[in-house]
Amino acid sequence: MESFLEEKVTRSRFLKFLLKTAAVSAILLPQASCKPGTIPKLHGLSDSEYLAFKSLEEVFLVGNPIQGFDLGVAADKYIYGHPYPIDTESVLKLLAFLPGSSLVSFALDFSFTSMVGLSKEDREKRLLSWKNSSLSLKRGAYNIMRQLAFFLVSMEREYNELVGYKG
């Protein structure tokens, strides 16, 4: 019988533990590693979640033709623009936690600096490394965050008018 210290931990078990720890730290330390900035009045997103969406906007939505588009405000409107919060609120909040978490940065990139704390160029390099990573967790997080950013742009009335839909 192996002792506790000699037990081997599988990769999937370690990643599950890491995600659980990240989720607990998101609840206990919701504003860790966020840069201060001007934050508009939001209905339900926290300041750190708003900043996380803004950091993704700077990378994924370069050259966005919609003037004045704000990914953080769009996420807030998408979640809380309904009579009651939609079912995907917890998923979107978890995705907003990824760029702002030092724990996630350390676990996935062995860096103590979260994505929100990086310059735009360094954030872009880190996200591109996630895109081309051999770890499916990184590739999946990259793809989901990118698709979410484009989905939130497509929800805007100005975008629909730009592509020719009248509404």
Side-chain angles (χ1 to χ4, degrees):
M1 187 162 147
E2 292 183 29
S3 71
F4 177 73
L5 296 175
E6 295 174 353
E7 185 178 333
K8 293 184 180 180
V9 178
T10 64
R11 181 177 175 178
S12 65
R13 208 167 152 196
F14 173 73
L15 290 175
K16 286 178 186 177
F17 170 75
L18 199 62
L19 287 174
K20 288 177 185 177
T21 306
V24 169
S25 67
I27 294 167
L28 299 177
L29 304 169
Q31 297 200 0
S33 301
C34 286
K35 295 191 304 189
T38 57
I39 298 174
K41 182 170 172 37
L42 302 169
H43 297 286
L45 288 182
S46 69
D47 293 351
S48 62
E49 292 163 341
Y50 172 80
L51 291 172
F53 279 114
K54 284 297 286 182
S55 71
L56 294 176
E57 175 187 346
E58 290 177 359
V59 175
F60 291 134
L61 300 178
V62 174
N64 183 8
I66 300 174
Q67 297 299 318
F69 179 79
D70 188 327
L71 189 62
V73 172
D76 189 60
K77 283 191 323 190
Y78 179 68
I79 297 172
Y80 298 102
H82 302 277
Y84 54 90
I86 60 175
D87 294 335
T88 57
E89 173 187 10
S90 58
V91 174
L92 287 176
K93 286 188 170 233
L94 178 63
L95 287 174
F97 172 71
L98 291 176
S101 170
S102 296
L103 180 64
V104 170
S105 293
F106 181 73
L108 296 179
D109 301 314
F110 300 109
S111 171
F112 289 108
T113 307
S114 69
M115 221 178 295
V116 173
L118 295 172
S119 68
K120 181 183 174 194
E121 294 79 23
D122 291 338
R123 191 177 314 125
E124 189 172 345
K125 287 178 189 174
R126 185 176 288 181
L127 282 170
L128 284 175
S129 76
W130 283 24
K131 178 182 179 182
N132 301 317
S133 175
S134 63
L135 185 62
S136 61
L137 182 67
K138 285 183 181 182
R139 287 192 319 269
Y142 171 85
N143 287 325
I144 290 170
M145 289 187 293
R146 184 171 179 267
Q147 288 171 3
L148 175 65
F150 289 123
F151 171 74
L152 291 173
V153 168
S154 72
M155 296 293 293
E156 291 294 310
R157 189 183 83 244
E158 293 87 9
Y159 175 80
N160 289 321
E161 291 172 359
L162 183 68
V163 295
Y165 292 113
K166 306 285 185 205

